[in-house]
């Protein structure tokens, strides 16, 4: 089965391909020549996830799935949350966003945080959403060089490593994205029978 994943983020594409069963061929936006930006103007992760899938369906008329992810930090009222991609400004880099979090969290004693991913599978007629959450803590400084985004400052519960110190396989043992994708894959299996 061939599935269109509404993302231009090559890291996300790589992660999802590493999770998906071999019979699922996951195609990203670059593979179909889509160069634009997907809209993300809602104020919830669920809303943004749906918005991306609806937008893509409107352009290509083929079923697709999308995902939206946010890092939710308790000590700063759930920030960056839905603004995770542009926390330090519209064209902020991963580094800029991480610096902003580290500055805001400087010497803050409460470090608890979670990643939340919402996958939307949009068939054109209706949609279904799958949520994956991973609890963890925000480190005092960056650790590791793998992965992307906030990986260097997020350490999941049950690990002594940050996400950025893990191989893809190790990250998948904890990953918010894998938790939501596994539910989605299960749904696909159920509707195929
Ligand atoms: P998006 O809006 O779903 O593309 O993601 C928002 C932002 O969250 C991204 O730009 C990354 O900075 C961050 N992010 C998403 N997933 C991850 C992850 O697995 N690890 C670290 N950061 C992530």
């Amino acid at each position: 089965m061939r599935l269109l994943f509404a993302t231009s983020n090559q890291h996300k594409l790589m992660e999802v391909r590493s999770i998906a069963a071999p019979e699922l061929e996951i195609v990203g936006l670059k593979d179909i020549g889509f160069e634009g930006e997907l809209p993300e103007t809602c104020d919830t992760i669920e809303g943004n996830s749906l918005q991306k899938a609806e937008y893509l369906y409107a352009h290509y008329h083929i079923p697709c799935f999308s995902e939206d992810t946010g890092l939710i930090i308790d000590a700063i009222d759930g920030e960056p949350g839905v603004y995770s991609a542009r926390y330090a400004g519209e064209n902020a880099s991963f580094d800029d966003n991480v610096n902003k979090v580290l500055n805001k969290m400087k010497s803050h004693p409460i470090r608890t945080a979670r990643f939340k991913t919402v996958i939307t599978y949009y068939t054109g007629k209706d949609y279904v959403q799958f949520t994956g959450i991973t609890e963890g803590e925000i480190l005092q400084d960056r650790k590791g060089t793998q992965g992307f985004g906030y990986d260097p400052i997020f350490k999941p519960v049950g690990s002594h490593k940050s996400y950025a110190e893990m191989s893809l396989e190790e990250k998948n043992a904890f990953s918010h994205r894998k938790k939501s994708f596994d539910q989605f894959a299960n749904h696909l299996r159920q509707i195929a029978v």
Side-chain angles (χ1 to χ4, degrees):
M1 183 181 185
R2 200 161 188 255
L3 272 177
L4 177 59
F5 181 13
T7 190
S8 319
N9 180 326
Q10 294 304 108
H11 292 277
K12 286 186 180 180
L13 191 58
M14 199 167 68
E15 284 192 11
V16 163
R17 281 180 174 149
S18 81
I19 299 164
E23 59 269 22
L24 285 181
E25 186 194 348
I26 312 281
V27 177
L29 292 183
K30 287 213 168 88
D31 301 312
I32 60 163
F34 180 91
E35 298 287 347
E37 285 280 318
L38 293 175
E40 287 188 58
T41 55
C42 297
D43 57 9
T44 60
I45 294 172
E46 287 79 3
N48 277 338
S49 180
L50 176 59
Q51 192 183 23
K52 291 185 224 184
E54 280 181 328
Y55 180 87
L56 206 64
Y57 188 89
H59 282 75
Y60 289 93
H61 307 290
I62 46 173
C64 60
F65 76 98
S66 60
E67 69 101 270
D68 199 65
T69 295
L71 174 63
I72 298 155
I73 305 176
D74 293 325
I76 49 176
D77 298 325
E79 287 181 19
V82 75
Y83 303 108
S84 293
R86 47 186 190 283
Y87 193 42
E90 257 334 296
N91 296 310
S93 65
F94 290 147
D95 250 11
D96 297 335
N97 290 333
V98 166
N99 285 338
K100 181 163 177 186
V101 168
L102 287 176
N103 281 333
K104 282 210 161 193
M105 290 292 290
K106 206 176 256 175
S107 68
H108 210 297
I110 299 165
R111 316 289 305 182
T112 50
R114 64 206 53 82
F115 267 112
K116 175 176 166 181
T117 289
V118 176
I119 286 182
T120 303
Y121 180 46
Y122 190 74
T123 62
K125 216 166 62 195
D126 52 17
Y127 72 89
V128 55
Q129 294 191 312
F130 309 93
T131 303
I133 294 176
T134 294
E135 300 285 340
E137 66 178 81
I138 301 299
L139 299 171
Q140 301 284 352
D141 290 299
R142 288 175 173 78
K143 276 178 82 184
T145 55
Q146 321 254 28
F148 70 103
Y150 300 95
D151 279 350
I153 56 167
F154 183 80
K155 185 168 80 64
V157 168
S159 169
H160 60 281
K161 291 180 179 180
S162 78
Y163 267 169
E165 292 178 296
M166 298 180 184
S167 65
L168 208 49
E169 201 179 38
E170 287 174 306
K171 184 176 174 185
N172 281 343
F174 296 95
S175 163
H176 46 288
R177 186 162 294 103
K178 176 162 165 42
K179 287 174 188 163
S180 58
F181 190 85
D182 282 351
Q183 294 171 51
F184 172 40
N186 203 26
H187 172 77
L188 290 177
R189 274 191 291 274
Q190 279 170 10
I191 58 176
V193 288

